[in-house]
Amino acid sequence: MAVTAADRDDPALRRARRLLRRYPIIDGHNDLAWVIRNDRKAPGDVEAYDLRKPTPGDTDLARLRAGGVGGQFWSVYVPGDARAEGYARLQLEQIDIARRVIARYRDRLAFCLGTDDIRRAWRRGRLASLLGLEGGHALENSLGALRAYYALGVRYMTLTHNVTTDWADAALDAPRHRGLSPFGHEVIREMNRLGMLVDLAHVAPAVMEQALRVSAAPVIFSHSSCRALTDVPRNVPDAILARLPANGGVVMLTFVAPFVSPAAAAAKTVGLEALQPRLAGVSDRAERRRIEREYFAAHPLPKATIGQVVGHIEHARTVAGVDHIGIGGDYDGNDDWPVGLEDVSRYPYLFAELIRRGWRERDLAKLAGGNLLRAFRRAEAVARRLQRSRPPSTATIGELDGRPEAAGQPIRASKSAKT
C-alpha cells in the first residue's frame, strides 16, 4: 500500500517507524517458502520468485524493510495429510527452499542459528533469518530426525499442525492422546536439550497444559491469538496465558482475520461447512485449495480491523503480562488480513495504534522482539545445562507408547487449508 500524505503527517506513525529502526520486529511465522513451492509460474524456483521486485504474495525485500522487520522465523511447513508423499522428503525440500532464499539475498538476509547470530546480523544491517518447522508429523516419530532438522537450522518446532500426530493432539482434529503421549513428553525433553523452542501454536489445550509442565525452557506460540476474544480452537485460552510467566514463554499474536475477528471466524466456519459436499472425494490438495479460494472469493469474510488485533495484544498483556507477548503475523500463510495489515510493510501501523493508546517505548520494544530474544536466550542456557548431564535420547515411540513405531497410526486430515 502506498504511503499517503496523511501517513507522512501522522506523528504516531513517524514515532512507530523510528522505534522499529531501534527495536526491530522479530516475527514468529512467515510462510514464504510454501508460497514459492506452490507458485503457479515457477513452482519451487527461488530465483524466479524475485524478492527484489514486488511479489504477488505478502513478502518482498522492500516491504520487509518498510515494515521494520529485523528478524523472521521462516516457516518450513509440510501438510499433515502428505504422509504418502513422504513427510521427511517434503520437509527437507522446504528447508532447502528457505535456505536457498536466505543465501540468494545474503546482502540483505543472514542465516541465524541463535541469539548471538541475531545480534550479529543486526550489526551488519541484515535481516536475521531463522527456520521454524510447522508440524511434528515431519519427525516420522524419530528423535534422530529431530536432531537432523536442528542441525539443518530449525530453531522451533510446532508440535502439531492441523492433524493429530501419533504423539500429540491438534486443536483442529479429534484427540487421541488426552494431550501428549509419553513419546510426546520425550520429544519436548529432547527439544529442550537441543535448544529448539517448543511451539504450541496449533495444538490442543491439553497439549499446551502438559507442555508447560514438561518443558524446562520457555515455550512460544509462534502465531496465535486469544480465545477469550475469538473463540476458535486455534487460539490460546486464558488459563494457558496466565501460566506463561512461570514458564517464561511468549505468545506471538497473529493477524489472521478469522483468529482475531469473531464475525470473520463465524463466516469461515459457515463457509467450510458449505464446502464439504464439493470437497467430498477431492484428495488433491491443490484442487481443494482452488475450490476453497473460489468459494471465499465469491463469499468474502467480514473485514477485521487493526483495532481487533490490538485488542488481542492488550488482552494477552493483561492476562500473561507485557513480558510474555510478541508478534507472529503469519504472512503468506493466509488470504484474509485486517484492513491496514495487508502485508509485511504494515507493522508500523499496528505500532502507531499502540502508541496512540499510550503504550510506553520499553513495552513496545518487548513486544517487537525483546521478549522473544529473552525466551530464546533462556532456551539456549537450558540446553547448555542439559547437554552437560543428558546424552541424546535414543527412546522410540514403540518403547514409550507401546505401539508400532515405523509409520504409526493413519493420520486423518481435518482441513486442507493452510490454517
Side-chain angles (χ1 to χ4, degrees), residues 69-304:
V69 182
Q72 182 66 65
F73 280 91
W74 302 105
S75 170
V76 285
Y77 162 73
V78 169
D81 57 356
R83 183 192 292 280
E85 297 166 64
Y87 290 145
R89 177 178 67 81
L90 293 179
Q91 189 62 74
L92 292 172
E93 290 173 354
Q94 286 302 99
I95 291 171
D96 173 65
I97 289 174
R99 291 192 57 160
R100 283 190 290 129
V101 168
I102 298 165
R104 176 169 170 75
Y105 305 103
R106 58 174 56 90
D107 60 321
R108 298 286 298 276
L109 310 179
F111 185 50
C112 295
L113 299 175
T115 56
D116 288 345
D117 288 343
I118 293 172
R119 297 290 189 188
R120 243 186 318 270
W122 289 351
R123 288 195 296 270
R124 297 173 57 218
R126 304 294 194 270
L127 189 155
S129 295
L130 304 101
L131 305 184
L133 190 156
E134 187 173 26
H137 50 272
L139 299 187
E140 297 193 15
N141 303 330
S142 166
L143 296 178
L146 177 70
R147 290 187 286 272
Y149 294 145
Y150 182 84
L152 289 171
V154 170
R155 288 302 179 264
Y156 76 61
M157 183 177 73
T158 313
L159 299 185
T160 74
H161 187 246
N162 288 344
V163 296
T164 288
T165 72
D166 291 334
W167 45 272
D169 291 333
L172 296 181
D173 203 358
R176 293 188 358 228
H177 312 292
R178 298 181 181 177
L180 289 164
S181 77
F183 183 74
H185 289 199
E186 188 70 0
V187 169
I188 290 176
R189 286 190 285 265
E190 188 65 4
M191 291 175 73
N192 288 167
R193 193 194 66 82
L194 288 168
M196 185 186 292
L197 291 163
V198 175
D199 180 13
L200 301 180
H202 284 288
V203 306
V207 174
M208 300 176 191
E209 190 276 329
Q210 291 167 32
L212 285 167
R213 282 195 283 110
V214 173
S215 182
V219 304
I220 64 168
F221 294 81
S222 66
H223 57 306
S224 296
S225 291
C226 302
R227 193 159 182 175
L229 300 189
T230 306
D231 188 11
V232 294
R234 265 284 281 112
N235 284 344
V236 188
D238 278 2
I240 299 298
L241 291 175
R243 292 182 56 186
L244 282 181
N247 167 265
V250 179
V251 58
M252 306 179 81
L253 286 306
T254 194
F255 304 160
V256 181
F259 301 161
V260 300
S261 162
K268 186 69 174 282
T269 298
V270 169
L272 291 174
E273 289 174 352
L275 277 168
Q276 289 311 303
R278 291 183 60 190
L279 294 174
V282 180
S283 59
D284 182 75
R285 284 194 311 278
E287 178 62 11
R288 291 176 68 89
R289 188 62 174 146
R290 186 197 65 77
I291 292 170
E292 290 182 5
R293 285 181 182 272
E294 182 181 83
Y295 176 89
F296 285 110
H299 305 84
L301 301 183
K303 291 294 185 182

